[in-house]
Every structure is written in C-alpha cells, then in structure tokens.
Amino acid sequence: MTIRPARPEEAPRLAAIVEVAYGPWVPVVGRRPFPMDDDYAARIAAGEAWVLEEAGAVRALLVLETHPDHLMLDNIAVDPARQGKGDGRVLLDFAEAEARRRGLPEIRLYTNVLMERNIALYAKRGYAETERRQEKGFARVFMAKPLA
C-alpha cells in the first residue's frame, strides 16, 4: 500500500468512495454528511487530498487542512469493500505523522454527534472531545490529539 497526494483525474474516484462510505450514515444523520458534497477537484488542486493506493487502485482517501497551530483531518473515507482491513488505521497514522512532519503540535477532527462509532474509534486513538456545537447545519463533535 502507498499513500500519496491525489491526482486531478482521481477526483471522481474520491467522490465515489465518499458516496459509498458515507451512504449508510444518511438515514442516521437525516441528510447527506458534508463530505458527500465536497469538491474533490478543488481539494486535490489545493494539495489537501491524499489517497491510499494498493495494486494501482485507490482504496481510501484523506483530506488534510493545514492551520497555523494544528492539522485538521477534515475527511477520511475507506471503500466499504476494504473496511475492517486496517486502511483507516494506516491513514490515521499517516495524518499524525504528516502533522509532525509539518511541525504542528496537534491534529484535530470533527464528526457528527450521531456517528457514535466514529467518536469511540477516535477516542481509542487518543483523541479527546473538545466541544460540541452546531455548524453548517450539523451537530458536530470536535476532537483533538496533541502530538509528542
């Protein structure tokens, strides 16, 4: 497996992975989660989109935003056919390493309050809840992990 910056021609593949990965959350949240309508061509152009590639095929993606005092993990999505195989863990490890490489002391993320499985997964990875608030029409849980 390789993690690399996404290429412009891969924007439709990223959107397709997000569509199937987040699809099961639509009935839970009551609407399409924000990443389902993101502009992946713009994310790629901005250097924010990364892919996990195996045997020449994109299996998962990560969207990272650089801020002055932290790295924001804006989105992580794994092709459902690959879920449970450790791809998400590999991408989370990469995000943390990338924050360190950029000299940032913290990585942050947010998820929907109804995505309890995700909240528990991030907590097991060392992320602590910092706040809950409504943002862009979503009830979000914000989490952060300081990096040593």
Side-chain angles (χ1 to χ4, degrees), residues 106-142:
E106 184 175 71
I107 187 160
R108 298 180 189 171
L109 57 82
Y110 56 87
T111 190
N112 192 287
V113 297
L114 298 174
M115 296 180 173
E116 294 173 357
R117 188 177 76 219
N118 291 354
I119 295 166
L121 181 143
Y122 294 130
K124 285 181 186 175
R125 290 283 309 209
Y127 289 81
E129 184 175 325
T130 58
E131 70 175 305
R132 290 180 181 225
R133 71 173 185 260
Q134 286 289 126
E135 185 179 75
K136 299 180 182 177
F138 292 95
R140 292 183 169 165
V141 175
F142 292 81

Side-chain angles (χ1 to χ4, degrees), residues 29-127:
V29 174
R31 61 190 276 204
R32 290 170 62 83
F34 190 73
M36 292 178 82
D37 297 315
D38 204 352
D39 182 344
Y40 291 97
R43 292 292 197 167
I44 292 168
E48 297 174 340
W50 299 79
V51 297
L52 179 96
E53 180 182 66
E54 183 180 51
V58 174
R59 305 290 188 199
L61 68 109
L62 189 62
V63 175
L64 301 172
E65 297 175 353
T66 303
H67 295 266
D69 61 347
H70 69 279
L71 187 67
M72 175 63 76
L73 194 166
D74 186 73
N75 183 11
I76 183 169
V78 176
D79 185 328
R82 295 282 309 167
Q83 289 177 357
K85 298 185 185 304
D87 294 352
R89 179 184 42 77
V90 168
L91 286 172
L92 286 172
D93 289 346
F94 173 81
E96 293 171 18
E98 189 63 13
R100 287 184 187 97
R101 187 188 71 77
R102 296 178 190 192
L104 298 169
E106 184 175 71
I107 187 160
R108 298 180 189 171
L109 57 82
Y110 56 87
T111 190
N112 192 287
V113 297
L114 298 174
M115 296 180 173
E116 294 173 357
R117 188 177 76 219
N118 291 354
I119 295 166
L121 181 143
Y122 294 130
K124 285 181 186 175
R125 290 283 309 209
Y127 289 81

